Amino acid sequence: MLAVLKEEPKPNTLSVRDIDSPPKKPDHLVIRVLGAGVCGSDLHTFFWTEDYEKRFQNRLPVILGHEFAGIVEEIGPGVEGFKVGDRVVARPGISCNRCKACLSGNDGICPNRRAMGVDYNGAMAEFLSIPTQEVFRLPEKFPMEIGPLIEPIIIAYNAVLKAGSLLGKDVVVLGPGPIGYLISLLLRGHVKSQTIIGLNRDRSRMEKLQAQIPNIRAIEQGASRKGKEETLDADIVFEVTGSRGGFQQSLEMGRRNATVILVGIISDQVSIDSNLAVRGEFTIRGSHAAPRRIWKEVIELISSFPQNETDRFLSCITHRFPLQRAKEAFQLVASGEGLKVLFIPENRSA
Ligand SMILES: [Zn+2]
Ligand SMILES: [Zn+2]
């Protein structure tokens, strides 16, 4: 089968080549991948960011990718509750089911969790093999074209849950990448006002979002002094840039008693004016990976979407590529031109 692998511990390297398909294993399913998304974290792997160099120690070669949907192709010994042809998605990590986090229903942040596309082979391939404990069968009504987006939608949904009550709130989303874009779509109709803030190069993304949410305010950072002042009064701020200045900026945008949700992963340590949070009595919460119960909740939610809502979420997919063009796909995401870029493994024409 064709697969996208990180093989060498060096920046800007990827290989796309034919390797053996995964064998049947006890309690595992072999899944045929219908679509797999490129995530910001895959870019870090490609560019071999310092943080990722540490994460991947001695784990290469590994197939990348953790956002996908597919169809059950083969069933390993001992598997119950699945059959060949089932449409599925999977949580991109294997939790231990024994630690305090797992036992209290917070299995998304299990400290012993093994990550797909890092600790074991991921989804940028024609097939992958994963344990059934992290696989979810999709209901008939689930629109399959959204399948590869489910993981980023859940990351966004989990962040929105952390913000608590949305009713009557003025909300700022800092960073219109895929997760920021999806957070905005989830907030649509549930808040008093919504502002998305991006850089000059994010303009087309913000226009795309405005086409989906007509009353969202879009502000280009640094565009005007006035623009900045207008945003300094939010009840809830989502930091989704993962940039050095993002944390500090989100604190500056909060009004008294604001809630700041940190979603972006910042590769460096940053300094902030913590007194903004002290004097403003802010609530600061991190949001990372959702537990299984949230996966089930979101699968139900998406299954109940009317067509126009499905289309709204699909609007974040900007490009679809065959696996052969992996490097091009990665560059497109890195340049900011692609918002959500998918691999469609069945499309073998390069
Ligand atoms: Zn991801
Ligand atoms: Zn655990």
Side-chain angles (χ1 to χ4, degrees), residues 49-327:
T49 327
E50 203 185 311
D51 198 35
Y52 279 72
E53 195 175 335
K54 278 181 229 140
R55 277 190 86 193
F56 275 89
Q57 268 175 19
N58 308 322
R59 289 186 171 88
L60 303 182
V62 69
I63 301 173
L64 302 183
H66 58 267
E67 303 176 359
F68 80 102
I71 287 182
V72 175
E73 179 84 9
E74 281 187 294
I75 289 184
V79 168
E80 278 171 29
F82 289 91
K83 59 181 191 315
V84 170
D86 279 346
R87 308 182 314 155
V88 294
V89 292
R91 211 163 61 126
I94 304 171
S95 302
C96 77
N97 294 336
R98 289 187 303 269
C99 71
K100 207 167 171 182
C102 283
L103 295 176
S104 61
N106 296 306
D107 43 282
I109 49 170
C110 165
N112 309 316
R113 187 166 168 258
R114 297 171 60 234
M116 181 187 291
V118 179
D119 301 304
Y120 59 99
N121 279 336
M124 290 179 188
E126 291 178 75
F127 300 98
L128 85 161
S129 163
I130 37 174
T132 52
Q133 84 165 37
E134 307 295 350
V135 181
F136 301 87
R137 202 181 34 231
L138 298 170
E140 215 171 287
K141 279 184 290 178
F142 187 97
M144 201 54 182
E145 62 273 32
I146 280 198
L149 293 180
I150 193 147
E151 195 266 355
I153 292 175
I154 286 167
I155 297 287
Y157 184 91
N158 197 46
V160 170
L161 286 186
K162 304 266 191 236
S165 169
L166 303 172
L167 205 66
K169 300 287 168 70
D170 293 311
V171 181
V172 167
V173 177
L174 195 55
I179 303 295
Y181 190 96
L182 294 168
I183 286 175
S184 285
L185 288 180
L186 289 166
L187 293 173
R188 186 186 147 273
H190 297 286
V191 295
K192 184 169 145 222
S193 79
Q194 228 201 112
T195 305
I196 182 94
I197 299 182
L199 302 171
N200 179 267
R201 67 167 215 176
D202 298 320
R203 190 184 301 174
S204 69
R205 295 174 169 193
M206 295 201 285
E207 283 169 3
K208 212 171 167 44
L209 195 54
Q210 282 180 303
Q212 304 301 328
I213 313 172
N215 59 358
I216 195 172
R217 202 161 47 140
I219 292 179
E220 224 176 88
Q221 206 155 57
S224 72
R225 176 102 188 95
K226 187 163 170 283
K228 196 176 177 227
E229 278 163 6
E230 271 174 4
T231 64
L232 288 175
D233 225 11
D235 298 300
I236 303 169
V237 183
F238 291 93
E239 200 309 292
V240 210
T241 66
S243 67
R244 271 208 194 112
F247 192 176
Q248 172 66 21
Q249 268 177 319
S250 48
L251 294 178
E252 288 170 7
M253 285 166 189
R255 64 165 60 114
R256 302 269 141 171
N257 287 115
T259 299
V260 174
I261 310 292
L262 301 174
V263 189
I265 301 271
I266 307 172
S267 353
D268 306 287
Q269 290 197 6
V270 292
S271 81
I272 53 153
D273 177 2
S274 57
N275 288 336
L276 289 171
V278 175
R279 296 203 175 100
E281 299 200 340
F282 288 3
T283 302
I284 299 174
R285 299 196 67 176
S287 181
H288 187 47
R292 288 184 201 110
R293 63 191 153 83
I294 303 287
W295 274 73
K296 289 186 187 140
E297 207 171 299
V298 176
I299 288 169
E300 286 305 314
L301 174 76
I302 295 175
S303 301
S304 72
F305 275 177
Q307 187 63 46
N308 60 352
E309 191 68 7
T310 299
D311 291 343
R312 215 168 265 135
F313 280 82
L314 290 176
S315 73
C316 86
I317 303 173
T318 51
H319 301 78
R320 292 175 174 84
F321 280 103
L323 292 168
Q324 285 89 336
R325 288 166 65 189
K327 265 199 170 165

